[in-house]
Amino acid sequence: MVGEKVRSLKTAKAEKADIDAAVQLLLKLKVDFKQMTGQDYKAGCPPSENSCVSDSGPLTDAGKDDEDTVDPWNVSTTNAKGVDYDKLIVRFGSSKIDKELVDRIEKVSGQKPHRFLRRGIFFSHRDMHQVLDAYEKNKSFYLYTGRGPSSEAMHVGHLIPFIFTKWLQDVFDIPLVIQMTDDEKYLWKDLTLDECHYFAVENAKDIIACGFDVNKTFIFSDLDYMGSCPEFYRNVVKIQKHVTFNQVKGIFGFSDSDCIGKISFPAIQAAPSFSNSFPKIFGSKQDVPCLIPCAIDQDPYFRMTRDVAPRIGYPKPALLHSTFFPALQGAQTKMSASDANSSIFLTDTPKEIKSKINKHAFSGGKDTEEEHRKYGGNPDVDISFMYLTFFLEDDEKLEKIRQDYASGALLTGELKKILIETLQPMIAEHQERRKQVTDEAVKQFMTPRPLNFNLPA
């Protein structure tokens, strides 16, 4: 039935969003069919009688081509190296950040590319060349990123988009808006509204501690801003009118039992992509280009946004996608604030950091020192090495560590020690900066106001 619907929509030359939603639903159903039966779906061919139906999830040999689960709420893979990002680029229809683009960012910005670009941590994009084209013609753009505040303490993985966004703000000298989706967390989690709003303010302190320029940065809570800015809410309603329930089901996997707040929420995350959602910053201008640095699991929201944008008269936002920050136990899933042992929190003491890495960080080393010296370790699956690729600035030192570990010259314990000595001062310095963030400073960042930048006429 769904296949017939896709064909009929194409024949009728229906809107692209409706066709895409139906195709996504069809692909999901095919994956579910294979997980339940162990067989690929073929139209008109029911599963054979000896097919095995599992009540506990996918069969062991099912879904080999679909081993990576990536959506805004779940990230998992069966591969010890982590998610296959090249496959994800194909699946999501984005573009790889290649050397040509990295070189162009260096040329346009006049700065050495950030280590996240040099090492492929930000690996995928949508329309980054158009942003650079506009910038070269002296047309300003703005940055938009966000945080879903589900706990008081953030972990080191949460810092990745903010570290990179700060670099972008510094090198391009542009304004930034940061959305705290406290409304989303209320809808998805077993939390009160007051708790979600409190977490938003507490998380804002960690974000401010990353060093953002208060004259160029606006941080806002959805629960506060939505009711105080008619222009923002008008854009939310415009987006809602142009996305059907069928489309959000296809994009996000919502079911009939999900609350209506979840179904309408994607429009709220989409609205900051349009400059006239921030009249204090951009006035009534609706054509200031937007660049969104985010983890690739957030891309479904912005595929929807980019589809809606031209239909409501706005430019499509551009995106830069990052890889996931892996859990201590291995790259099969991302670090989660809900599992204390999978995460290194920004509140952890030097002793806790050392203990967590030594006890829980998955090793790519061999079982014995003798075997490790002889055969070497595997840095591609070793969590300590993966973390160093995020936080160790020196490229030559990182490559030397890789070679020494792979050759067996560097033992797992020694590699973990390097990571501990890298993270302990970094987190201690962050904690010190956070202590300096006063309630008055938070209020300043979170008050709608003009920002200091050059807006072309």
Side-chain angles (χ1 to χ4, degrees), residues 388-438:
L388 286 172
T389 66
F390 284 87
F391 297 118
L392 192 64
E393 176 61 32
D394 190 320
D395 291 338
E396 290 182 11
K397 187 175 179 183
L398 184 70
E399 182 55 31
K400 176 82 164 55
I401 291 168
R402 173 191 277 280
Q403 290 175 4
D404 286 353
Y405 193 60
S407 71
L410 188 71
L411 297 173
T412 295
E414 294 168 332
L415 177 57
K416 288 186 174 186
K417 185 170 183 285
I418 295 170
L419 175 64
I420 291 163
E421 290 173 351
T422 301
L423 283 183
Q424 282 177 333
M426 185 192 91
I427 292 174
E429 287 164 15
H430 178 89
Q431 290 168 356
E432 196 53 43
R433 288 194 304 271
R434 192 187 191 279
K435 282 181 193 171
Q436 311 303 318
V437 178
T438 62

Side-chain angles (χ1 to χ4, degrees), residues 85-235:
Y85 292 105
D86 287 331
K87 278 187 183 177
L88 209 53
I89 286 172
V90 174
R91 192 168 121 199
F92 281 11
S94 58
S95 302
K96 189 177 179 68
I97 295 179
D98 54 16
K99 187 177 184 303
E100 179 192 352
L101 179 55
V102 174
D103 289 346
R104 189 174 179 211
I105 291 171
E106 180 175 19
K107 179 173 176 285
V108 173
S109 70
Q111 300 289 329
K112 178 182 178 181
H114 194 277
R115 64 181 181 274
F116 292 172
L117 284 171
R118 303 196 305 267
R119 296 172 190 167
I121 289 167
F122 273 80
F123 70 100
S124 162
H125 75 100
R126 296 186 188 276
D127 290 348
M128 186 60 190
H129 281 293
Q130 283 91 316
V131 170
L132 295 173
D133 288 344
Y135 188 77
E136 284 182 318
K137 294 171 184 170
N138 296 318
K139 186 174 173 64
S140 183
F141 65 96
Y142 74 101
L143 297 164
Y144 157 40
T145 193
R147 161 82 185 125
S150 58
S151 60
E152 186 172 355
M154 290 167 59
H155 60 60
V156 287
H158 292 140
L159 287 182
I160 302 309
F162 296 110
I163 291 170
F164 187 60
T165 300
K166 183 190 182 303
W167 181 81
L168 289 169
Q169 183 184 57
D170 290 345
V171 300
F172 289 107
D173 191 26
I174 46 175
L176 161 67
V177 297
I178 300 175
Q179 181 183 45
M180 308 299 286
T181 56
D182 40 10
D183 52 345
E184 176 208 11
K185 292 308 172 187
Y186 174 69
L187 294 167
W188 263 268
K189 302 276 188 179
D190 185 19
L191 296 166
T192 66
L193 272 173
D194 287 343
E195 285 173 328
C196 294
H197 188 264
Y198 171 75
F199 292 156
V201 174
E202 289 302 302
N203 287 185
K205 293 176 183 176
D206 278 306
I207 293 167
I208 292 166
C210 292
F212 290 107
D213 184 346
V214 69
N215 296 310
K216 292 184 171 65
T217 307
F218 173 46
I219 304 174
F220 65 99
S221 142
D222 282 345
L223 290 174
D224 289 338
Y225 191 60
M226 189 101 135
S228 66
C229 182
E231 292 85 351
F232 185 90
Y233 183 59
R234 285 179 182 219
N235 276 339

Side-chain angles (χ1 to χ4, degrees), residues 310-362:
R311 291 190 282 141
I312 57 177
Y314 297 152
K316 294 181 179 182
L319 287 101
L320 292 170
H321 299 125
S322 75
T323 59
F324 303 114
F325 193 81
L328 279 165
Q329 285 80 358
Q332 289 91 338
T333 187
K334 67 176 182 177
M335 186 173 278
S336 169
S338 59
D339 181 355
N341 289 327
S342 82
S343 304
I344 295 171
F345 290 97
L346 299 179
T347 52
D348 282 349
T349 64
K351 186 177 178 182
E352 286 170 329
I353 293 166
K354 181 178 180 179
S355 174
K356 284 183 178 182
I357 291 169
N358 282 331
K359 281 185 184 176
H360 300 297
F362 182 79

